Amino acid sequence: LISRKLLANAIEMGKLREIESFRRATLKGVNPIDHILDHISVKRGGEGKARDAMVLRASLRDANAEDAARILTAVFDAYRTYVESHGEN
């Protein structure tokens, strides 16, 4: 979910370079992929009896909640595309 290739696809597919936090990060010399990696948290498993479940939970910190939702949506969409393409092959 947080591979550099997948995140690069998410940035392109979701047009994330348009987001203000990405623009600010780029101006500071931060790579957009590193910007996501610095703000995302991914955990595996559920809670209680489901702690060993094959579940991924992701959250992202951003000053703007709408931007955080847009970034997470792009990451999940890129991941879904990746999984679907491997399932077809």
Side-chain angles (χ1 to χ4, degrees):
L1 191 62
I2 55 173
S3 76
R4 295 187 76 80
K5 183 175 181 177
L6 187 131
L7 293 178
N9 290 339
I11 290 167
E12 295 308 313
M13 289 171 48
K15 299 179 182 176
L16 300 181
R17 293 179 194 275
E18 298 171 0
I19 294 176
E20 184 60 30
S21 64
F22 274 79
R23 285 190 218 151
R24 284 193 311 263
T26 302
L27 289 174
K28 292 179 182 177
V30 177
N31 180 298
I33 295 170
D34 292 331
H35 178 69
I36 294 175
L37 289 172
D38 290 343
H39 293 89
I40 197 168
S41 172
V42 178
K43 295 183 180 181
R44 292 179 187 223
E47 296 178 8
K49 291 181 181 180
R51 75 173 175 262
D52 295 327
M54 298 300 293
V55 175
L56 293 175
R57 292 181 295 162
S59 60
L60 189 121
R61 295 180 327 272
D62 193 283
N64 184 317
E66 290 177 10
D67 288 351
R70 182 174 169 187
I71 294 165
L72 280 176
T73 298
V75 171
F76 283 124
D77 288 347
Y79 183 70
R80 181 176 45 244
T81 299
Y82 168 80
V83 170
E84 288 173 353
S85 72
H86 281 70
E88 291 173 2
N89 294 334

